[in-house]
C-alpha cells in the first residue's frame, strides 16, 4: 500500500515553505523538484475544451493519482472539482497524456488550471 503524501505535495506545488517530501526514489532530483516537474508536464499538455472556452467556463481542478515505476499515472481521479465536468475530465486526460512522469512514492495531487485570457 502506498503512503499518501497529499498534504506535502499540495504544499510543494503551492510554493509553501515546507521541507520537501522524502521518498524512496533513487538518488538524483529531490522529490520537490520531481513534483514541480509533474505539475509542469500535466499543465503543458492540458487542452482547454472548446465548448468550455466558448461558454467562458474557467476553473482549477485538483487531480490525484499515483505513478507506476515506468512513469505511467494510475488511479486518476478529480479530488477537487473545477465546477465544470468538462474541465475536470480535461484535467484527468492531461494527467494520462503527460506520461511518462517522474516517479514519486505515494499519491500525487496536482492542480490543473483552465484560465481564459484576452486575445
Amino acid at each position: 500500500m502506498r503512503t499518501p503524501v497529499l498534504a506535502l505535495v499540495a504544499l510543494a506545488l503551492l510554493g509553501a515553505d515546507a521541507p520537501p517530501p522524502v521518498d524512496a526514489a533513487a538518488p538524483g532530483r529531490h522529490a520537490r523538484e520531481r513534483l514541480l516537474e509533474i505539475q509542469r508536464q500535466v499543465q503543458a499538455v492540458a487542452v482547454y475544451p472548446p465548448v468550455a472556452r466558448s461558454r467562458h467556463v474557467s476553473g482549477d481542478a485538483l487531480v490525484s493519482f499515483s505513478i507506476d515505476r515506468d512513469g505511467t499515472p494510475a488511479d486518476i481521479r478529480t479530488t477537487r472539482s473545477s465546477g465544470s465536468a468538462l474541465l475536470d475530465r480535461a484535467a484527468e486526460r492531461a494527467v494520462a497524456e503527460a506520461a511518462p512522469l517522474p516517479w514519486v512514492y505515494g499519491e500525487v495531487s496536482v492542480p490543473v488550471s483552465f484560465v481564459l485570457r484576452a486575445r
Side-chain angles (χ1 to χ4, degrees), residues 25-92:
R29 295 187 302 165
H30 286 274
R32 177 179 227 148
E33 292 170 354
R34 285 181 273 132
L35 293 169
L36 291 171
E37 177 62 18
I38 292 166
Q39 198 276 331
R40 187 199 64 72
Q41 281 183 232
V42 170
Q43 189 65 56
V45 300
V47 175
Y48 212 126
V51 172
R53 183 184 297 279
S54 70
R55 294 179 182 168
H56 302 284
V57 176
S58 61
D60 301 314
L62 186 67
V63 183
S64 298
F65 52 96
S66 58
I67 302 172
D68 294 336
R69 287 283 188 170
D70 67 355
T72 303
D75 305 318
I76 303 168
R77 67 197 181 289
T78 299
T79 51
R80 188 184 69 224
S81 177
S82 64
S84 164
L86 284 171
L87 297 182
D88 294 347
R89 284 193 306 272
E92 291 173 2

Side-chain angles (χ1 to χ4, degrees), residues 15 22 49 59 61 65-66 87 93 105 108:
V22 177
F65 52 96
S66 58
L87 297 182
R93 269 193 310 276
Y105 180 80
V108 177

